[in-house]
Amino acid sequence: MKKSILTLASAVLVAFSANAQKVEFEEYNLDNGMHVILHKDTSAPVVVTSVMYHVGAKDEQPDRTGMAHFFEHLLFEGTKNIKKGEWFKLVSSNGGRNNANTTDDRTYYYEIFPSNKLELGLWMESERLLHPIIGQEGVDTQNEVVKEEKRLRVDNQPYSRFLEYVKQNIFKKHPYKGTTIGKMEHLDAATLEEFLAFNKKFYVPNNATLVVAGDIDVPTAKKMIQDYFGHIPRGEEITKNFPKEDPITETITAKGYDPNIQIPAVMAAYRTPSMKTRDSRVLDMISSYLSTGKSSVLYKKLVDEKKMALQAGAINASQEDYGTYILFGLPQGDTKLMDIVNEIDEEIAKIQTELISEKAYQKLQNQFENNYVNSNSSVEGIANSLARYNVLYGDTNLINTEIEIYRSITREEIKEVAKKYLNPNQRLILEYLPEKK
């Protein structure tokens, strides 16, 4: 009976997601190179205006790290027509909310307004692009804001630096070896001229994707977009030529220290291919198999059954140029860090030599179907996905077709990809230890 219920639940989920509404959109380019994506959804009287710029931490100079994230803050300072301190007031007083975020690969700004405020959202984003006020006062103000953010999220947050240590040991040439928030001494040393130059180079229409999603009249939206963005001058073409990494051929060992922890951790990290590849998506599935939920392989073995770890899991941190696949564990009691690694290696070896069970495979498919449905369940999520697939993958329609890639991944592929990337001679072993004061 239990098996029948599980089978029925799986069938219902697959049927639901197979019939999930396709995300309809229209995309085109303005004469100045700005890419525009429109998605009409009249289910609620809201509209999202968002712009994703193809600039992130990897685009910074080695001695000026943190610049991309800094701009995420700086471009809320004000514009020619929006006074300092008025941006957030303008949004909230018109029933909206807004935010921004930065990664190594891109920077994303968005507003969510009642649908009758579409023009306001477009005007504000055009102001950010065309008329930002970048002055020493704003730079000094945001410098303190970023420092406080670093103190809260990094310096005083337990286990917050493990990815920093992993990346600086996994990457030797590519700028992924740095952190998105950067080094404060680099921002302190940056001149106003350098901030202006960064803005001039990267904050241009031909490096931007504008998404308007929600309860819109498409012809009206197109006219507004042309009126507010069409006249903004095209910038210089941006060439990206990042250094390629040499393969890892023998185990790297390193240690990282954190003054905010008492319990150590261990990470086994592997450099993997771009998130645009099929192999990266297979690694997504392996990660879910190993560590999604308390019934997952690593949690069940190390935490529940053997009581060796307080926590264990896998993360596929996939990015535009490379990925970083991380297996980790926090020991319980007197368990040694390498004992956790050895137990994890046993499970990796099983994936490399045996096909995962049909039941586990179906569970994975259900998880990814559910993720697909959830990611497209709100206009805010759809706007983000449309921008991301265009900017980072070069294929906006992946919002509809990427799930088909996951559906087509076989148990045999899971085995082969694990054999290809998750080997001891291809990894970093990082001991993440309490720092003695």
Side-chain angles (χ1 to χ4, degrees), residues 370-429:
N370 188 56
N371 293 342
Y372 165 66
V373 172
N374 288 339
S375 66
N376 292 341
S377 63
S378 71
V379 68
E380 182 180 348
I382 289 172
N384 187 310
S385 293
L386 288 168
R388 178 169 53 88
Y389 283 125
N390 177 71
V391 171
L392 301 183
Y393 293 80
D395 182 2
T396 312
N397 198 44
L398 278 171
I399 194 170
N400 294 310
T401 61
E402 188 177 45
I403 187 59
E404 297 297 338
I405 300 174
Y406 286 109
R407 287 171 181 158
S408 69
I409 290 171
T410 64
R411 293 189 296 156
E412 289 75 13
E413 279 184 282
I414 290 172
K415 176 182 172 182
E416 291 307 311
V417 167
K419 287 169 64 176
K420 186 175 181 180
Y421 298 106
L422 305 182
N423 298 301
N425 67 314
Q426 297 171 296
R427 71 185 179 188
L428 160 74
I429 296 293

Side-chain angles (χ1 to χ4, degrees), residues 353-365:
T353 56
E354 307 167 11
L355 297 181
I356 66 171
S357 70
E358 280 285 0
K359 181 179 179 181
Y361 175 73
Q362 188 56 60
K363 179 181 175 182
L364 282 176
Q365 289 291 340

Side-chain angles (χ1 to χ4, degrees), residues 263-327:
I263 299 171
V266 65
M267 288 89 188
Y270 308 76
R271 191 192 313 130
T272 52
S274 163
M275 62 187 183
K276 293 181 277 190
T277 63
R278 183 178 179 90
D279 282 357
S280 179
R281 294 175 171 100
V282 178
L283 287 164
D284 283 340
M285 287 197 134
I286 296 173
S287 178
S288 291
Y289 171 73
L290 289 171
S291 69
T292 297
K294 292 187 176 182
S295 63
S296 60
V297 171
L298 294 184
Y299 189 94
K300 189 173 181 180
K301 177 183 182 180
L302 289 167
V303 180
D304 277 353
E305 295 176 359
K306 295 201 170 186
K307 312 294 185 190
M308 293 177 64
L310 297 169
Q311 190 175 350
I315 302 167
N316 186 29
S318 55
Q319 296 178 275
E320 186 177 16
D321 299 338
Y322 290 99
T324 307
Y325 193 89
I326 304 170
L327 297 155

Side-chain angles (χ1 to χ4, degrees), residues 102-136:
T102 307
T103 71
D104 288 346
D105 298 314
R106 92 297 179 274
T107 307
Y108 185 58
Y109 303 86
Y110 66 93
E111 297 81 31
I112 304 169
F113 278 118
S115 54
N116 62 352
K117 299 296 181 181
L118 169 61
E119 187 168 9
L120 175 61
L122 292 173
W123 173 71
M124 293 183 75
E125 286 301 335
S126 70
E127 278 288 300
R128 194 198 307 273
L129 180 57
L130 185 60
H131 296 134
I133 299 298
I134 300 174
Q136 194 61 53

Side-chain angles (χ1 to χ4, degrees), residues 54-62 104-106 171 173-177 201-202 238-246 276 320-322 392:
H54 199 180
V55 56
K58 71 180 181 188
D59 298 291
E60 301 157 351
Q61 295 299 314
D104 288 346
D105 298 314
R106 92 297 179 274
F171 296 102
K173 301 177 182 179
H174 193 281
Y176 283 163
K177 64 186 176 182
K201 180 177 182 179
F202 293 109
I238 299 169
T239 301
K240 300 196 178 194
N241 187 24
F242 301 109
K244 301 293 190 295
E245 290 285 346
D246 297 322
K276 293 181 277 190
E320 186 177 16
D321 299 338
Y322 290 99
L392 301 183

